[in-house]
Amino acid sequence: MLTTRAPGKVNVCLLVGAPRADGLHPLVSVFQPVGLADELSLAGAGEGAPGPGGADAVVCPGVAGENLAGRALAGFRAATGWDGAPRTLTIVKRIPVAAGMGGGSADAAAALRLAAAASGLPIPAELPMRLGADVPVLLNPRRALVTGAGEHVEPLSAGDGATLVILPLDAALSTRDVYREFDARDRPRDPGELEEAAARLRAGAAPPPVNDLEAAARRLCPAIDPALEALRTAGVERPMVTGSGPTVFGYSEDPEVLDRLHSAGHPAVAVPTAPPELAEVRQA
Ligand code: ATP
């Protein structure tokens, strides 16, 4: 049996342009993988029950419908021609679902790492982006500058090592709906602005605590404003929405911040940034 972990992410900054001809949004973002991670295991041939029709099976309590990790396994087989016996992929979710923390993409990326290890074949270059804009960066989870529509990933130095305070909300937002709302009501960055921001970040500038999707997410999910206010009141620095939301996060090294949030009824967690070895594939 092979195992790996799939760290979720926060977008330390996220700048968004107008949709390209292919419908995808150009972005400039600093992705930070975090220690809140799903756990995946791929049972070897004969170790688990195969899915219907001899296909790979995915067991993922808490996620209904087609699983992005299953789509990744099927995509890997189709693109590489790998015809090893069907496997069972089991996912224990720890990353909140539809929360802006990239959980589905993280699981898809982890499934590709497992498939590559099981088959001995490399991951086809175009496959991660076909699965989703967050999959390329989460393939090899580390702090990175992401540009294009997600396909360009440049590793950045480790960052300030700050502890993140993450507050998941009891709400879900569809990434597609948030982009649609952004397109309808907000001003996209022009290409020059995105290029300049990417150049500054590449040169080592601190990411601005800005998320261009935040206003759209706040309009669609009224629970976000009080959550941001709760972080601020508890003393969390730079509170903001991650990705398409609704999860909010900020920074604090003060352990009493969590106590204050918990006594006010907010299930906040303190998480470190993810060390790169968290995502290694291991033999269990
Ligand atoms: P992103 O930050 O990449 O925009 P997200 O964190 O907001 O994504 P996900 O948790 O990836 O959202 O879930 C988006 C949708 O994908 C959910 O509605 C869920 O049903 C579906 N999904 C499919 N596979 C998975 C998976 N393995 N984990 C979570 N969601 C999944």
Side-chain angles (χ1 to χ4, degrees):
M1 159 123 62
L2 295 172
T3 66
T4 191
R5 291 200 202 166
K9 55 81 180 172
V10 296
N11 298 87
V12 176
C13 76
L14 176 57
L15 310 180
V16 181
R20 314 188 300 198
D22 62 5
L24 298 175
H25 288 78
L27 49 89
V28 171
S29 183
V30 173
F31 271 65
Q32 176 62 63
V34 298
L36 188 59
D38 292 346
E39 289 162 27
L40 286 85
S41 56
L42 189 67
E47 282 182 302
D56 296 311
V58 178
V59 178
C60 182
V63 174
E66 191 197 5
N67 201 291
L68 207 46
R71 204 187 299 166
L73 269 188
F76 183 89
R77 285 189 183 272
T80 60
W82 179 43
D83 62 358
R87 313 286 160 125
T88 299
L89 178 67
T90 304
I91 306 174
V92 178
K93 290 296 298 179
R94 307 257 186 246
I95 308 169
V97 175
M101 292 192 67
S105 304
D107 292 347
L112 293 179
R113 292 197 295 279
L114 289 168
S119 65
L121 298 169
I123 297 168
E126 306 298 316
L127 178 57
M129 189 64 194
R130 282 215 308 274
L131 293 165
D134 290 354
V135 180
V137 61
L138 293 173
L139 212 46
N140 186 0
R142 57 200 155 155
R143 189 176 175 96
L145 172 64
V146 176
T147 56
E151 66 274 31
H152 301 306
V153 176
E154 301 163 59
L156 293 172
S157 58
D160 52 11
T163 304
L164 295 145
V165 175
I166 294 179
L167 176 52
L169 303 193
D170 193 13
L173 274 176
S174 135
T175 304
R176 182 184 297 194
D177 290 351
V178 175
Y179 270 107
R180 205 172 280 154
E181 172 72 13
F182 171 82
D183 290 337
R185 314 249 320 252
D186 297 325
R187 187 187 77 79
R189 307 262 170 185
D190 59 50
E193 219 177 330
L194 290 177
E195 259 168 49
E196 274 167 35
R200 276 197 300 277
L201 292 165
R202 220 171 263 132
V210 171
N211 176 355
D212 286 347
L213 296 181
E214 183 162 310
R218 287 169 54 211
R219 288 195 295 270
L220 295 178
C221 178
I224 291 177
D225 279 355
L228 287 170
E229 190 49 38
L231 290 185
R232 219 169 276 129
T233 307
V236 175
E237 289 167 34
R238 288 171 277 153
M240 60 189 282
V241 169
T242 176
S244 53
T247 302
V248 296
F249 76 101
Y251 305 86
S252 177
E253 301 298 334
D254 176 359
E256 287 178 14
V257 154
L258 272 194
D259 294 341
R260 287 198 281 275
L261 284 162
H262 292 166
S263 22
H266 300 289
V269 286
V271 293
T273 55
E277 61 273 17
L278 194 69
E280 277 171 11
V281 173
R282 294 168 201 272
Q283 186 85 47

